[in-house]
Amino acid sequence: MAAPGTPGGTGGTAFVLGGGGVLGAAEVGMLQALFEHGVRPDLIVGTSVGAINGALVAADPGSSAVDRLRAVWEELASQGIFAGSVLARLGTLARTRTHLHPREPLRDLLETHLPVRTFAELHVPFQCVAASIERAAEHWFTEGALVDAVLASCAVPGLLPAVELEGEHYLDGGLVHSIPVGRAVALGADTVYVLHVGRIDRPLSPPTGPWEVAQVAFEIARRHRFAADLAALPPGVTVHVLPSGDPAPPGAANLRYRDFSSVPARIDQAYVAARDHLDRSGASRDGGT
């Protein structure tokens, strides 16, 4: 029998970490609650900001991972990964014609905080997804250079440049698989904990302004695949969707991708909500309730 986290494997607990930019701070609080309840992953899959959080946990799968993640998010807020004046951002756009920010600050952050450099060095099997431009398809990174793969998964169109690896160009994994429950199940997990950014449980309404059109369209796409994954679960698979604890409506606030002021509150809200959920459900490593 193949080990959990490998194609054809059976059994095991998976953490699925979805995308969502700055809202991904909520996943840190969820991870803290899971570790406090003794839940440990046999497999981690992540998309976009979930790839950042997931890679750090896979490299250090214990309570210390939460402290490391909090430090990363504090640095995201203080160092300004998406820093720069309007003129600087427009200058980058004019020079590149494709994006507003360079990727180097994010690369430096990952290289500073990730204690390993390759997938093979991780303590827990980890995969992250990106969207291949040439093939118009999802691509799962499972080996090789870890930072390059995470950067590809995080390459938000218009904000960061596409990542070129071996002649192929990749954009943000949220374009093809924002909450990859199906991937975890395909790899053999029978207990899945979904860590998301808090948008999937909020009702959608028709856009009222041009800035909302793309947001609503993207939400339809990401929720449709997530719902399809849940509807197609095979017998014997248990999925726990952890709450984010965020009472705020989605709205245009989600478009403020450079605003990290709410990060500490978002982590704490998600921790309390996920902790209470786990207390009530009795969810454990074996999926029991």
Side-chain angles (χ1 to χ4, degrees), residues 74-155:
E74 288 172 1
E75 192 166 333
L76 281 168
S78 63
Q79 298 299 318
I81 296 301
F82 296 115
S85 65
V86 173
L87 287 178
R89 299 197 299 275
L90 290 177
T92 300
L93 180 61
R95 185 174 64 258
T96 66
R97 297 189 294 178
T98 59
H99 56 275
L100 293 170
H101 301 279
R103 74 166 66 94
E104 284 72 25
L106 182 55
R107 177 183 287 279
D108 292 343
L109 180 72
L110 292 171
E111 291 179 343
T112 297
H113 289 278
L114 274 170
V116 302
R117 290 291 172 262
T118 67
F119 280 81
E121 298 173 87
L122 294 170
H123 290 280
V124 174
F126 167 73
Q127 299 186 5
C128 62
V129 66
S132 165
I133 294 176
E134 284 83 359
R135 293 183 291 112
E138 66 187 64
H139 176 87
W140 284 93
F141 291 94
T142 63
E143 60 184 5
L146 185 59
V147 169
D148 286 343
V150 173
L151 286 172
S153 188
C154 294

Side-chain angles (χ1 to χ4, degrees), residues 1 8 22 39 43-44 46 57 71 78 80 91 99 102-103 108 133 135 189 205 234 257 261 263 270:
M1 180 179 72
V22 67
V39 182
L43 166 69
I44 300 172
V57 172
S78 63
H99 56 275
R103 74 166 66 94
D108 292 343
I133 294 176
R135 293 183 291 112
S205 57
Y257 68 94
S261 61
V263 160

Side-chain angles (χ1 to χ4, degrees), residues 29-45:
M30 296 174 185
L31 287 164
Q32 181 179 351
L34 285 166
F35 287 132
E36 287 184 1
H37 279 75
V39 182
R40 297 292 188 272
D42 299 303
L43 166 69
I44 300 172
V45 294

